[in-house]
């Protein structure tokens, strides 16, 4: 059984599925996935095409079960039993991909920007100019209080030739960040 941290991005099929796979009104039957912090309930992506990252091929007609942030089952749709009470997402005509990572961002100070990353399938970012405010945003997204990607961040910019004492004074320590 696979287990991995996951926040899934649902994307429409690029070339479009065969007609028997996705009726014209299939989009009306697709439920919204739960937020990434949602725990204790199984979500089932049923009859979905999966980019597994193990090969270049797309695995069609799969079912993926997610409990909280862990993938608990993955395989052909006919072989995976969906538990009673699970939130079922009709995956016909959709793709499930691993979360994308943006390794060079400059976060601004709005929560709405964080939601845009998730909407685009970006589940992890590396911020290039950190501050105590960025650390606070990181804590909010990690707790699920704000929808956003996992944030890795640097300290503040230290730019140009400066005396050692001045550069040292500009570094935010972990203890300082905790007081934000």
């Amino acid at each position: 059984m696979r287990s991995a941290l996951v926040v899934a991005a649902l994307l429409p099929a690029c070339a479009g599925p065969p007609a028997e796979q996705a009726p014209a009104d299939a989009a009306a039957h697709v439920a919204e996935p739960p937020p990434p912090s949602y725990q204790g309930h199984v979500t089932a992506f049923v009859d979905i095409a999966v980019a597994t990252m193990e090969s270049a091929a797309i695995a069609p007609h799969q079912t993926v079960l997610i409990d909280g942030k862990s993938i608990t089952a993955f395989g052909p749709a006919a072989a995976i039993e969906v538990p009673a009470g699970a939130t079922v997402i009709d995956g016909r005509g959709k793709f499930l991909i691993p979360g994308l990572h943006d390794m060079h961002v400059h976060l601004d100070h709005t929560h709405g920007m964080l939601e845009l990353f998730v909407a685009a399938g970006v589940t992890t970012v590396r911020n290039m100019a950190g501050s105590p405010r960025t650390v606070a945003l990181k804590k909010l997204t990690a707790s699920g209080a704000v929808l956003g990607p996992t944030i890795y961040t640097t300290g503040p910019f230290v730019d140009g030739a400066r005396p050692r004492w001045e550069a040292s004074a500009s570094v935010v320590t972990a203890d300082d960040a905790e007081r934000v």
Side-chain angles (χ1 to χ4, degrees):
M1 193 169 349
R2 292 175 175 217
S3 179
L5 293 180
V6 66
V7 176
L10 227 52
L11 300 175
C14 295
E20 67 274 6
Q21 253 187 312
D25 66 344
H29 301 293
V30 176
E32 287 294 321
S37 62
Y38 192 74
Q39 296 290 323
H41 183 74
V42 174
T43 301
F45 294 88
V46 178
D47 197 15
I48 194 158
V50 178
T52 66
M53 303 306 292
E54 293 174 355
S55 75
I58 300 294
H61 307 292
Q62 302 293 301
T63 290
V64 179
L65 301 181
I66 300 173
D67 188 352
K69 292 184 178 183
S70 295
I71 297 171
T72 57
F74 165 68
I80 303 293
E81 184 176 337
V82 176
T87 299
V88 176
I89 297 176
D90 182 352
R92 291 178 293 171
K94 306 283 186 226
F95 286 100
L96 187 63
I97 66 169
L100 303 173
H101 295 213
D102 189 336
M103 295 288 97
H104 188 123
V105 301
H106 296 271
L107 295 176
D108 90 2
H109 299 291
T110 65
H111 300 294
M113 182 178 178
L114 298 174
E115 293 170 352
L116 292 175
F117 282 113
V118 175
V122 175
T123 60
T124 302
V125 297
R126 183 177 65 181
N127 183 56
M128 303 311 291
S131 68
R133 172 95 170 128
T134 309
V135 173
L137 289 174
K138 175 180 176 167
K139 288 179 183 179
L140 288 170
T141 59
S143 72
V146 171
L147 179 61
T150 298
I151 298 171
Y152 293 94
T153 191
T154 65
F157 280 124
V158 178
D159 192 18
R162 296 184 179 180
R164 184 175 179 192
W165 63 268
E166 189 178 330
S168 296
S170 69
V171 175
V172 177
T173 67
D175 290 339
D176 293 334
E178 292 298 319
R179 289 191 280 271
V180 173

